[in-house]
Amino acid sequence: QVQLVESGGGTVQAGGSLRLSCATSGITGNTYSLGWLRQAPGKEREGVAGIDTTGTAMYADSVKGRFTISRDDAKKTIYLQMNSLKPEDTAMYYCAARLDVARVARYLISAAYYPYWGQGTQVTVSS
C-alpha cells in the first residue's frame, strides 16, 4: 500500500519561502513518478511540479523560476522549495505518486496521472 505524508506547510508573507516534504512508504520498485499538486478554495486541483526516476521534471508555468522540485532516491522522498511566494499560491498542497515514469513530461503535472495521494498540507501566503 502506497502512502504519502506531506509536511512543511504554513503561513508566510508574500515574498517569503517554504519547503514542503513528502515522505513515501510502500514504493518498493525504483521506477516511479512523484508530484505536487494544489487546490485553492473554489478552484480545480492543478499540477505544480512533478519528477520521475528518469530525472524528468515538469513545472506549471505559474511557478517556473520560483519553485524547485527535488528528490532523495534513498529515502523515496520529494521536496518542493517555494520561493518568492505570492498570495495566489495559497492552497492545499498535495503529494501524489504513480508507479511508472512519464511517457510525456506534462503528465507529471496532471492530476489524472496519479492514483496515489497524500492528505495535503496547507500553504497560506499573506499580502
Side-chain angles (χ1 to χ4, degrees):
Q1 181 75 7
V2 176
Q3 294 186 322
L4 310 168
V5 178
E6 304 95 335
S7 62
T11 300
V12 64
Q13 288 190 332
S17 299
L18 283 174
R19 188 189 191 217
L20 305 183
S21 298
C22 173
T24 74
S25 61
I27 297 178
T28 57
N30 294 318
T31 300
Y32 54 89
S33 302
L34 292 169
W36 289 101
L37 301 96
R38 66 187 181 187
Q39 188 167 19
K43 295 188 177 181
E44 293 187 356
R45 194 168 294 189
E46 63 174 358
V48 176
I51 191 167
D52 68 20
T53 47
T54 68
T56 300
M58 187 72 185
Y59 294 91
D61 288 344
S62 60
V63 306
K64 282 181 182 177
R66 300 189 298 123
F67 291 11
T68 303
I69 190 170
S70 60
R71 73 181 199 269
D72 182 329
D73 290 336
K75 297 180 180 179
K76 293 183 179 173
T77 297
I78 60 167
Y79 306 94
L80 187 68
Q81 179 66 43
M82 304 187 294
N83 298 329
S84 303
L85 282 161
K86 304 175 181 180
E88 51 263 44
D89 293 318
T90 295
M92 183 70 77
Y93 283 70
Y94 297 91
C95 178
R98 181 183 177 97
L99 303 183
D100 197 358
V101 294
R103 295 183 180 182
V104 178
R106 67 176 182 270
Y107 290 177
L108 293 169
I109 54 170
S110 170
Y113 178 68
Y114 296 99
Y116 303 104
W117 292 80
Q119 294 298 307
T121 186
Q122 177 68 37
V123 172
T124 302
V125 184
S126 61
S127 56

